Amino acid sequence: MNGDVVSILTMAKVIQTAVAPVFLITGIAATLGVLSNRLARITDRARLLDRKLNNSQDEELKDHLTREMRALLKRSRYIHVAFSMSVLSALLVCAVVMVLFVSHLYTLSLGVTLSSCFIAAMLLLICAFLALLAEVFLATRSMRRGMIFKDIGE
């Protein structure tokens, strides 16, 4: 076989290998969409509460609104952490794809680098999902404490 044909076939295998990480990037992008939506809802709710807080003269209502604002702030912090870790994970997955091609083009042995980037990406993604789970727990705890649906009986 001609050397160019072998090189093209080898490049085709590299492209096939790079497809899995690209699908992972798509999944991370979907996660970022979910996180963005949750953060937007938190932000909208915080703006509404801020307007109510500034217009209210009732101290009891102000205390209630302040508690809910604190809960929203905690939730937004977890979303921020999850968002940051997801983006860093996606960047590392992009680096994996890039290193795959660089290692093929320059015939370098970058297996340890590839593995390290991929493991770090997965660890960041795990932490991002844990932060999202913590935010969901905070949201449901707020509902149970009566901040939301307080007039609805069990």
Side-chain angles (χ1 to χ4, degrees), residues 49 52-54 56-71 147 150:
L49 292 178
K52 286 183 179 180
L53 191 60
N54 290 333
S56 177
Q57 300 301 322
D58 182 7
E59 289 302 317
E60 186 177 331
L61 178 61
K62 281 185 173 186
D63 289 343
H64 174 73
L65 294 174
T66 302
R67 279 194 311 274
E68 190 170 348
M69 288 284 279
R70 282 192 197 111
M147 290 181 166
K150 66 181 177 184

Side-chain angles (χ1 to χ4, degrees), residues 11 98-110:
M11 184 56 81
M98 186 184 72
V99 170
L100 274 170
F101 284 99
V102 168
S103 69
H104 171 70
L105 288 174
Y106 299 106
T107 59
L108 299 171
S109 179
L110 297 174

Side-chain angles (χ1 to χ4, degrees), residues 92 95-96 99 110-124:
L92 281 172
V96 166
V99 170
L110 297 174
V112 172
T113 304
L114 276 169
S115 300
S116 299
C117 284
F118 192 76
I119 289 168
M122 290 298 97
L123 286 172
L124 284 167

Side-chain angles (χ1 to χ4, degrees), residues 27-39:
I28 294 171
T31 301
L32 289 172
V34 168
L35 294 170
S36 293
N37 287 336
R38 292 187 73 83
L39 183 59

Side-chain angles (χ1 to χ4, degrees), residues 3-21:
D4 288 339
V5 173
V6 172
S7 179
I8 290 170
L9 291 174
T10 307
M11 184 56 81
K13 285 202 174 268
V14 172
I15 291 170
Q16 286 175 340
T17 305
V19 167

